[in-house]
Amino acid sequence: MKTGFLKHYEETQKLFESFLGEFWSQRLNEGAPHLREFDGVMSYSLLQEGAKRFRPVLSLLTEELLNGTQEKVLPFAAAVEMIHTFSLVHDDLPCMDNDDERRGKPTNHIKFGEAQALLAGDALLAEAFATIAGTYHDNPETTLGLIHLLATATGRMGMVGGQVIDIGSQLQSMGFDELKDMHARKTGALIRVSVEGACLVNSADEETCRNLRRYGEHLGLAFQLADDLLDSEEETSADEVSFVSCLGKDRTMSYLEEVTEAAIHLLKPFGEKAVHLQDLCRYNCDRSF
Ligand code: GRG
């Protein structure tokens, strides 16, 4: 039997899965029955088994720390997961990483063709913003704040900007600071915003938001470091830029431990309430997938 944090992670993941399944099917039932086939293209990636749901779990654990109610943050968490899914579907396309497999299954474009995959990614991005506007509209300030956070984390300043830097980068010319900046945008922004969104829906005070934002930044970097270490165990193309290619495996590992400890330390002011967010850092540090 699973105990401790892993059990809590999986329960939180399940709670999110069940919300997402219900929310998504309601959304698709709202209209356009002639788009059923396309609905299947989007759902294939959004509802896929094997997704860690790391970002939604992070939002829900932040909600716990803030003593909020899960219902409040679940739609925001679903919106972040839609954006995350869009980025994976597009990242797998032949014009980007050209991957055939994700989560042990054919990538979206392998299964449905490039045009459908491109459009499914586009639609998921738009659905994320429709989810925010359709859920939080009773509080226009919250709605605008969430839209601003998500759009900034996704666009030029965030994930897309990071991807632009990534596809233009050369291993030889990219230094450690540039690599860190690229990943803070490409992977880190969506992880950080998962924390910031929970702060916003709970109207957390300025100091709390600042501390948790810093925690989110550290966790985003730690997530990428763990990812690069896992990737380094697989065969990758020689020109791929990663922390392991820049620092070497041992230094990447000790850097991951250092960033993890720093993230845990940033939560000290929150006392016992922060224990799950601290455990999430340790979980990331030790993860094997
Ligand atoms: C194409 C606009 C656009 C952006 C792509 C995020 C990204 C930018 C590409 C994904 C490529 C990648 C493997 C990045 C490294 C970190 C990362 C985001 C891994 C995938 O996230 P997980 O591990 O995925 O949370 P699951 O499958 O668990 O949902």
Side-chain angles (χ1 to χ4, degrees), residues 67-98:
N67 298 321
T69 55
Q70 291 164 335
E71 292 70 35
K72 241 191 325 193
V73 84
L74 277 164
F76 169 74
V80 174
E81 196 66 4
M82 288 173 207
I83 295 176
H84 168 61
T85 308
F86 131 71
S87 80
L88 299 183
V89 171
H90 281 194
D91 189 59
D92 290 334
L93 286 169
C95 62
M96 299 267 176
D97 261 11
N98 195 15

PDB file of all heavy atoms in Angstrom, residues 67-98:
ATOM      1  N   ASN A  67      -5.320  27.429   2.535  1.00  0.00           N
ATOM      2  CA  ASN A  67      -6.600  27.076   3.178  1.00  0.00           C
ATOM      3  C   ASN A  67      -7.805  27.400   2.306  1.00  0.00           C
ATOM      4  O   ASN A  67      -8.859  27.798   2.811  1.00  0.00           O
ATOM      5  CB  ASN A  67      -6.781  27.811   4.526  1.00  0.00           C
ATOM      6  CG  ASN A  67      -5.706  27.436   5.512  1.00  0.00           C
ATOM      7  OD1 ASN A  67      -5.309  26.273   5.585  1.00  0.00           O
ATOM      8  ND2 ASN A  67      -5.208  28.416   6.250  1.00  0.00           N
ATOM      9  N   GLY A  68      -7.635  27.272   1.004  1.00  0.00           N
ATOM     10  CA  GLY A  68      -8.755  27.563   0.092  1.00  0.00           C
ATOM     11  C   GLY A  68      -9.542  26.299  -0.208  1.00  0.00           C
ATOM     12  O   GLY A  68      -9.256  25.228   0.327  1.00  0.00           O
ATOM     13  N   THR A  69     -10.550  26.426  -1.079  1.00  0.00           N
ATOM     14  CA  THR A  69     -11.327  25.243  -1.458  1.00  0.00           C
ATOM     15  C   THR A  69     -10.903  24.784  -2.852  1.00  0.00           C
ATOM     16  O   THR A  69     -10.646  25.609  -3.736  1.00  0.00           O
ATOM     17  CB  THR A  69     -12.846  25.549  -1.474  1.00  0.00           C
ATOM     18  OG1 THR A  69     -13.043  26.662  -2.339  1.00  0.00           O
ATOM     19  CG2 THR A  69     -13.373  25.856  -0.100  1.00  0.00           C
ATOM     20  N   GLN A  70     -10.831  23.472  -3.009  1.00  0.00           N
ATOM     21  CA  GLN A  70     -10.363  22.901  -4.276  1.00  0.00           C
ATOM     22  C   GLN A  70     -11.202  23.373  -5.456  1.00  0.00           C
ATOM     23  O   GLN A  70     -10.669  23.647  -6.541  1.00  0.00           O
ATOM     24  CB  GLN A  70     -10.400  21.381  -4.196  1.00  0.00           C
ATOM     25  CG  GLN A  70      -9.366  20.841  -3.240  1.00  0.00           C
ATOM     26  CD  GLN A  70      -9.631  19.405  -2.847  1.00  0.00           C
ATOM     27  OE1 GLN A  70     -10.766  18.933  -2.887  1.00  0.00           O
ATOM     28  NE2 GLN A  70      -8.577  18.708  -2.471  1.00  0.00           N
ATOM     29  N   GLU A  71     -12.516  23.499  -5.246  1.00  0.00           N
ATOM     30  CA  GLU A  71     -13.422  23.871  -6.338  1.00  0.00           C
ATOM     31  C   GLU A  71     -12.992  25.181  -6.992  1.00  0.00           C
ATOM     32  O   GLU A  71     -13.173  25.390  -8.181  1.00  0.00           O
ATOM     33  CB  GLU A  71     -14.873  24.046  -5.834  1.00  0.00           C
ATOM     34  CG  GLU A  71     -15.563  22.773  -5.384  1.00  0.00           C
ATOM     35  CD  GLU A  71     -14.990  22.221  -4.095  1.00  0.00           C
ATOM     36  OE1 GLU A  71     -14.595  23.021  -3.222  1.00  0.00           O
ATOM     37  OE2 GLU A  71     -14.908  20.982  -3.966  1.00  0.00           O
ATOM     38  N   LYS A  72     -12.436  26.049  -6.137  1.00  0.00           N
ATOM     39  CA  LYS A  72     -12.072  27.377  -6.637  1.00  0.00           C
ATOM     40  C   LYS A  72     -10.935  27.311  -7.657  1.00  0.00           C
ATOM     41  O   LYS A  72     -10.915  28.045  -8.629  1.00  0.00           O
ATOM     42  CB  LYS A  72     -11.619  28.230  -5.440  1.00  0.00           C
ATOM     43  CG  LYS A  72     -12.477  29.432  -5.256  1.00  0.00           C
ATOM     44  CD  LYS A  72     -11.992  30.486  -4.289  1.00  0.00           C
ATOM     45  CE  LYS A  72     -11.262  30.062  -3.059  1.00  0.00           C
ATOM     46  NZ  LYS A  72     -11.105  31.088  -2.054  1.00  0.00           N
ATOM     47  N   VAL A  73      -9.982  26.430  -7.412  1.00  0.00           N
ATOM     48  CA  VAL A  73      -8.778  26.446  -8.253  1.00  0.00           C
ATOM     49  C   VAL A  73      -8.815  25.400  -9.385  1.00  0.00           C
ATOM     50  O   VAL A  73      -8.048  25.492 -10.340  1.00  0.00           O
ATOM     51  CB  VAL A  73      -7.506  26.303  -7.376  1.00  0.00           C
ATOM     52  CG1 VAL A  73      -7.203  24.853  -7.055  1.00  0.00           C
ATOM     53  CG2 VAL A  73      -6.310  26.993  -8.005  1.00  0.00           C
ATOM     54  N   LEU A  74      -9.739  24.437  -9.281  1.00  0.00           N
ATOM     55  CA  LEU A  74      -9.763  23.356 -10.284  1.00  0.00           C
ATOM     56  C   LEU A  74      -9.924  23.858 -11.729  1.00  0.00           C
ATOM     57  O   LEU A  74      -9.182  23.412 -12.619  1.00  0.00           O
ATOM     58  CB  LEU A  74     -10.848  22.329  -9.933  1.00  0.00           C
ATOM     59  CG  LEU A  74     -10.405  21.272  -8.906  1.00  0.00           C
ATOM     60  CD1 LEU A  74     -11.619  20.533  -8.321  1.00  0.00           C
ATOM     61  CD2 LEU A  74      -9.419  20.274  -9.495  1.00  0.00           C
ATOM     62  N   PRO A  75     -10.848  24.801 -12.006  1.00  0.00           N
ATOM     63  CA  PRO A  75     -10.941  25.267 -13.409  1.00  0.00           C
ATOM     64  C   PRO A  75      -9.659  25.937 -13.888  1.00  0.00           C
ATOM     65  O   PRO A  75      -9.249  25.758 -15.040  1.00  0.00           O
ATOM     66  CB  PRO A  75     -12.112  26.266 -13.361  1.00  0.00           C
ATOM     67  CG  PRO A  75     -12.887  25.883 -12.137  1.00  0.00           C
ATOM     68  CD  PRO A  75     -11.888  25.391 -11.140  1.00  0.00           C
ATOM     69  N   PHE A  76      -9.007  26.693 -13.006  1.00  0.00           N
ATOM     70  CA  PHE A  76      -7.726  27.306 -13.389  1.00  0.00           C
ATOM     71  C   PHE A  76      -6.700  26.213 -13.705  1.00  0.00           C
ATOM     72  O   PHE A  76      -5.980  26.274 -14.710  1.00  0.00           O
ATOM     73  CB  PHE A  76      -7.205  28.231 -12.273  1.00  0.00           C
ATOM     74  CG  PHE A  76      -5.792  28.676 -12.506  1.00  0.00           C
ATOM     75  CD1 PHE A  76      -5.508  29.637 -13.472  1.00  0.00           C
ATOM     76  CD2 PHE A  76      -4.733  28.104 -11.800  1.00  0.00           C
ATOM     77  CE1 PHE A  76      -4.194  30.030 -13.719  1.00  0.00           C
ATOM     78  CE2 PHE A  76      -3.423  28.489 -12.047  1.00  0.00           C
ATOM     79  CZ  PHE A  76      -3.145  29.449 -13.007  1.00  0.00           C
ATOM     80  N   ALA A  77      -6.648  25.192 -12.843  1.00  0.00           N
ATOM     81  CA  ALA A  77      -5.703  24.090 -13.051  1.00  0.00           C
ATOM     82  C   ALA A  77      -5.983  23.385 -14.385  1.00  0.00           C
ATOM     83  O   ALA A  77      -5.053  23.001 -15.110  1.00  0.00           O
ATOM     84  CB  ALA A  77      -5.793  23.099 -11.888  1.00  0.00           C
ATOM     85  N   ALA A  78      -7.271  23.255 -14.716  1.00  0.00           N
ATOM     86  CA  ALA A  78      -7.636  22.623 -15.998  1.00  0.00           C
ATOM     87  C   ALA A  78      -7.154  23.488 -17.161  1.00  0.00           C
ATOM     88  O   ALA A  78      -6.650  22.978 -18.172  1.00  0.00           O
ATOM     89  CB  ALA A  78      -9.148  22.416 -16.072  1.00  0.00           C
ATOM     90  N   ALA A  79      -7.282  24.805 -17.011  1.00  0.00           N
ATOM     91  CA  ALA A  79      -6.833  25.714 -18.078  1.00  0.00           C
ATOM     92  C   ALA A  79      -5.321  25.579 -18.291  1.00  0.00           C
ATOM     93  O   ALA A  79      -4.843  25.534 -19.434  1.00  0.00           O
ATOM     94  CB  ALA A  79      -7.210  27.152 -17.726  1.00  0.00           C
ATOM     95  N   VAL A  80      -4.576  25.501 -17.201  1.00  0.00           N
ATOM     96  CA  VAL A  80      -3.114  25.346 -17.329  1.00  0.00           C
ATOM     97  C   VAL A  80      -2.792  24.021 -18.036  1.00  0.00           C
ATOM     98  O   VAL A  80      -1.929  23.972 -18.921  1.00  0.00           O
ATOM     99  CB  VAL A  80      -2.406  25.404 -15.944  1.00  0.00           C
ATOM    100  CG1 VAL A  80      -0.925  25.091 -16.066  1.00  0.00           C
ATOM    101  CG2 VAL A  80      -2.602  26.776 -15.300  1.00  0.00           C
ATOM    102  N   GLU A  81      -3.522  22.974 -17.698  1.00  0.00           N
ATOM    103  CA  GLU A  81      -3.259  21.672 -18.323  1.00  0.00           C
ATOM    104  C   GLU A  81      -3.613  21.703 -19.820  1.00  0.00           C
ATOM    105  O   GLU A  81      -2.961  21.042 -20.629  1.00  0.00           O
ATOM    106  CB  GLU A  81      -4.029  20.578 -17.574  1.00  0.00           C
ATOM    107  CG  GLU A  81      -3.575  19.157 -17.856  1.00  0.00           C
ATOM    108  CD  GLU A  81      -2.150  18.788 -17.386  1.00  0.00           C
ATOM    109  OE1 GLU A  81      -1.475  19.605 -16.743  1.00  0.00           O
ATOM    110  OE2 GLU A  81      -1.735  17.652 -17.691  1.00  0.00           O
ATOM    111  N   MET A  82      -4.619  22.482 -20.184  1.00  0.00           N
ATOM    112  CA  MET A  82      -4.955  22.621 -21.619  1.00  0.00           C
ATOM    113  C   MET A  82      -3.794  23.300 -22.359  1.00  0.00           C
ATOM    114  O   MET A  82      -3.416  22.888 -23.457  1.00  0.00           O
ATOM    115  CB  MET A  82      -6.238  23.460 -21.796  1.00  0.00           C
ATOM    116  CG  MET A  82      -7.497  22.730 -21.384  1.00  0.00           C
ATOM    117  SD  MET A  82      -8.935  23.844 -21.414  1.00  0.00           S
ATOM    118  CE  MET A  82      -9.978  23.050 -20.182  1.00  0.00           C
ATOM    119  N   ILE A  83      -3.239  24.330 -21.739  1.00  0.00           N
ATOM    120  CA  ILE A  83      -2.107  25.032 -22.372  1.00  0.00           C
ATOM    121  C   ILE A  83      -0.895  24.105 -22.443  1.00  0.00           C
ATOM    122  O   ILE A  83      -0.198  24.036 -23.461  1.00  0.00           O
ATOM    123  CB  ILE A  83      -1.782  26.344 -21.611  1.00  0.00           C
ATOM    124  CG1 ILE A  83      -2.965  27.308 -21.727  1.00  0.00           C
ATOM    125  CG2 ILE A  83      -0.503  26.988 -22.160  1.00  0.00           C
ATOM    126  CD1 ILE A  83      -2.820  28.607 -20.953  1.00  0.00           C
ATOM    127  N   HIS A  84      -0.647  23.380 -21.364  1.00  0.00           N
ATOM    128  CA  HIS A  84       0.465  22.422 -21.350  1.00  0.00           C
ATOM    129  C   HIS A  84       0.279  21.397 -22.487  1.00  0.00           C
ATOM    130  O   HIS A  84       1.220  21.092 -23.237  1.00  0.00           O
ATOM    131  CB  HIS A  84       0.498  21.741 -19.973  1.00  0.00           C
ATOM    132  CG  HIS A  84       1.392  20.556 -19.886  1.00  0.00           C
ATOM    133  ND1 HIS A  84       2.756  20.635 -20.098  1.00  0.00           N
ATOM    134  CD2 HIS A  84       1.138  19.239 -19.600  1.00  0.00           C
ATOM    135  CE1 HIS A  84       3.291  19.432 -19.957  1.00  0.00           C
ATOM    136  NE2 HIS A  84       2.330  18.570 -19.668  1.00  0.00           N
ATOM    137  N   THR A  85      -0.950  20.898 -22.633  1.00  0.00           N
ATOM    138  CA  THR A  85      -1.219  19.890 -23.666  1.00  0.00           C
ATOM    139  C   THR A  85      -1.010  20.481 -25.062  1.00  0.00           C
ATOM    140  O   THR A  85      -0.401  19.835 -25.933  1.00  0.00           O
ATOM    141  CB  THR A  85      -2.658  19.340 -23.528  1.00  0.00           C
ATOM    142  OG1 THR A  85      -2.855  18.924 -22.180  1.00  0.00           O
ATOM    143  CG2 THR A  85      -2.903  18.172 -24.461  1.00  0.00           C
ATOM    144  N   PHE A  86      -1.490  21.694 -25.253  1.00  0.00           N
ATOM    145  CA  PHE A  86      -1.259  22.368 -26.552  1.00  0.00           C
ATOM    146  C   PHE A  86       0.238  22.414 -26.854  1.00  0.00           C
ATOM    147  O   PHE A  86       0.670  22.109 -27.974  1.00  0.00           O
ATOM    148  CB  PHE A  86      -1.883  23.778 -26.521  1.00  0.00           C
ATOM    149  CG  PHE A  86      -0.989  24.906 -26.989  1.00  0.00           C
ATOM    150  CD1 PHE A  86      -0.646  25.041 -28.334  1.00  0.00           C
ATOM    151  CD2 PHE A  86      -0.472  25.834 -26.083  1.00  0.00           C
ATOM    152  CE1 PHE A  86       0.197  26.078 -28.760  1.00  0.00           C
ATOM    153  CE2 PHE A  86       0.363  26.861 -26.498  1.00  0.00           C
ATOM    154  CZ  PHE A  86       0.703  26.977 -27.842  1.00  0.00           C
ATOM    155  N   SER A  87       1.041  22.750 -25.836  1.00  0.00           N
ATOM    156  CA  SER A  87       2.480  22.902 -26.105  1.00  0.00           C
ATOM    157  C   SER A  87       3.113  21.553 -26.475  1.00  0.00           C
ATOM    158  O   SER A  87       3.980  21.490 -27.342  1.00  0.00           O
ATOM    159  CB  SER A  87       3.197  23.523 -24.898  1.00  0.00           C
ATOM    160  OG  SER A  87       3.456  22.572 -23.891  1.00  0.00           O
ATOM    161  N   LEU A  88       2.644  20.481 -25.847  1.00  0.00           N
ATOM    162  CA  LEU A  88       3.210  19.159 -26.163  1.00  0.00           C
ATOM    163  C   LEU A  88       2.812  18.720 -27.572  1.00  0.00           C
ATOM    164  O   LEU A  88       3.645  18.193 -28.330  1.00  0.00           O
ATOM    165  CB  LEU A  88       2.765  18.117 -25.132  1.00  0.00           C
ATOM    166  CG  LEU A  88       3.183  18.369 -23.671  1.00  0.00           C
ATOM    167  CD1 LEU A  88       2.731  17.217 -22.777  1.00  0.00           C
ATOM    168  CD2 LEU A  88       4.679  18.588 -23.524  1.00  0.00           C
ATOM    169  N   VAL A  89       1.544  18.940 -27.912  1.00  0.00           N
ATOM    170  CA  VAL A  89       1.061  18.534 -29.250  1.00  0.00           C
ATOM    171  C   VAL A  89       1.850  19.284 -30.330  1.00  0.00           C
ATOM    172  O   VAL A  89       2.339  18.691 -31.295  1.00  0.00           O
ATOM    173  CB  VAL A  89      -0.467  18.790 -29.382  1.00  0.00           C
ATOM    174  CG1 VAL A  89      -0.930  18.592 -30.822  1.00  0.00           C
ATOM    175  CG2 VAL A  89      -1.251  17.874 -28.446  1.00  0.00           C
ATOM    176  N   HIS A  90       2.020  20.591 -30.149  1.00  0.00           N
ATOM    177  CA  HIS A  90       2.772  21.370 -31.140  1.00  0.00           C
ATOM    178  C   HIS A  90       4.265  21.037 -31.109  1.00  0.00           C
ATOM    179  O   HIS A  90       4.914  20.998 -32.155  1.00  0.00           O
ATOM    180  CB  HIS A  90       2.553  22.874 -30.915  1.00  0.00           C
ATOM    181  CG  HIS A  90       1.246  23.365 -31.461  1.00  0.00           C
ATOM    182  ND1 HIS A  90       0.951  24.697 -31.626  1.00  0.00           N
ATOM    183  CD2 HIS A  90       0.148  22.681 -31.884  1.00  0.00           C
ATOM    184  CE1 HIS A  90      -0.274  24.817 -32.137  1.00  0.00           C
ATOM    185  NE2 HIS A  90      -0.780  23.607 -32.286  1.00  0.00           N
ATOM    186  N   ASP A  91       4.787  20.797 -29.923  1.00  0.00           N
ATOM    187  CA  ASP A  91       6.215  20.491 -29.819  1.00  0.00           C
ATOM    188  C   ASP A  91       6.583  19.185 -30.545  1.00  0.00           C
ATOM    189  O   ASP A  91       7.692  19.021 -31.033  1.00  0.00           O
ATOM    190  CB  ASP A  91       6.618  20.383 -28.345  1.00  0.00           C
ATOM    191  CG  ASP A  91       8.127  20.290 -28.170  1.00  0.00           C
ATOM    192  OD1 ASP A  91       8.820  21.221 -28.604  1.00  0.00           O
ATOM    193  OD2 ASP A  91       8.611  19.276 -27.637  1.00  0.00           O
ATOM    194  N   ASP A  92       5.624  18.274 -30.613  1.00  0.00           N
ATOM    195  CA  ASP A  92       5.881  16.975 -31.264  1.00  0.00           C
ATOM    196  C   ASP A  92       5.811  17.041 -32.790  1.00  0.00           C
ATOM    197  O   ASP A  92       6.231  16.108 -33.475  1.00  0.00           O
ATOM    198  CB  ASP A  92       4.868  15.926 -30.762  1.00  0.00           C
ATOM    199  CG  ASP A  92       5.126  15.544 -29.309  1.00  0.00           C
ATOM    200  OD1 ASP A  92       6.282  15.665 -28.857  1.00  0.00           O
ATOM    201  OD2 ASP A  92       4.169  15.112 -28.625  1.00  0.00           O
ATOM    202  N   LEU A  93       5.265  18.127 -33.328  1.00  0.00           N
ATOM    203  CA  LEU A  93       5.060  18.232 -34.788  1.00  0.00           C
ATOM    204  C   LEU A  93       6.379  18.148 -35.566  1.00  0.00           C
ATOM    205  O   LEU A  93       7.441  18.518 -35.032  1.00  0.00           O
ATOM    206  CB  LEU A  93       4.370  19.563 -35.117  1.00  0.00           C
ATOM    207  CG  LEU A  93       2.876  19.653 -34.775  1.00  0.00           C
ATOM    208  CD1 LEU A  93       2.391  21.096 -34.901  1.00  0.00           C
ATOM    209  CD2 LEU A  93       2.047  18.728 -35.667  1.00  0.00           C
ATOM    210  N   PRO A  94       6.316  17.713 -36.805  1.00  0.00           N
ATOM    211  CA  PRO A  94       7.546  17.614 -37.616  1.00  0.00           C
ATOM    212  C   PRO A  94       8.332  18.920 -37.716  1.00  0.00           C
ATOM    213  O   PRO A  94       9.555  18.910 -37.763  1.00  0.00           O
ATOM    214  CB  PRO A  94       7.020  17.187 -38.995  1.00  0.00           C
ATOM    215  CG  PRO A  94       5.747  16.479 -38.698  1.00  0.00           C
ATOM    216  CD  PRO A  94       5.145  17.163 -37.506  1.00  0.00           C
ATOM    217  N   CYS A  95       7.637  20.061 -37.708  1.00  0.00           N
ATOM    218  CA  CYS A  95       8.365  21.346 -37.809  1.00  0.00           C
ATOM    219  C   CYS A  95       9.064  21.717 -36.499  1.00  0.00           C
ATOM    220  O   CYS A  95       9.853  22.664 -36.460  1.00  0.00           O
ATOM    221  CB  CYS A  95       7.418  22.470 -38.231  1.00  0.00           C
ATOM    222  SG  CYS A  95       6.107  22.765 -37.040  1.00  0.00           S
ATOM    223  N   MET A  96       8.778  20.995 -35.408  1.00  0.00           N
ATOM    224  CA  MET A  96       9.438  21.253 -34.118  1.00  0.00           C
ATOM    225  C   MET A  96      10.338  20.058 -33.796  1.00  0.00           C
ATOM    226  O   MET A  96      11.313  19.826 -34.471  1.00  0.00           O
ATOM    227  CB  MET A  96       8.393  21.479 -33.011  1.00  0.00           C
ATOM    228  CG  MET A  96       7.506  22.670 -33.259  1.00  0.00           C
ATOM    229  SD  MET A  96       8.155  24.161 -32.474  1.00  0.00           S
ATOM    230  CE  MET A  96       6.981  25.355 -33.059  1.00  0.00           C
ATOM    231  N   ASP A  97       9.934  19.248 -32.810  1.00  0.00           N
ATOM    232  CA  ASP A  97      10.799  18.133 -32.404  1.00  0.00           C
ATOM    233  C   ASP A  97      10.640  16.871 -33.254  1.00  0.00           C
ATOM    234  O   ASP A  97      11.453  15.958 -33.170  1.00  0.00           O
ATOM    235  CB  ASP A  97      10.541  17.782 -30.931  1.00  0.00           C
ATOM    236  CG  ASP A  97      11.581  18.408 -30.027  1.00  0.00           C
ATOM    237  OD1 ASP A  97      12.337  19.261 -30.539  1.00  0.00           O
ATOM    238  OD2 ASP A  97      11.643  18.046 -28.849  1.00  0.00           O
ATOM    239  N   ASN A  98       9.559  16.807 -33.995  1.00  0.00           N
ATOM    240  CA  ASN A  98       9.288  15.669 -34.863  1.00  0.00           C
ATOM    241  C   ASN A  98       9.338  14.339 -34.109  1.00  0.00           C
ATOM    242  O   ASN A  98      10.133  13.454 -34.430  1.00  0.00           O
ATOM    243  CB  ASN A  98      10.298  15.667 -36.025  1.00  0.00           C
ATOM    244  CG  ASN A  98       9.862  14.751 -37.153  1.00  0.00           C
ATOM    245  OD1 ASN A  98       8.693  14.334 -37.199  1.00  0.00           O
ATOM    246  ND2 ASN A  98      10.775  14.415 -38.047  1.00  0.00           N
TER     247      ASN A  98
END
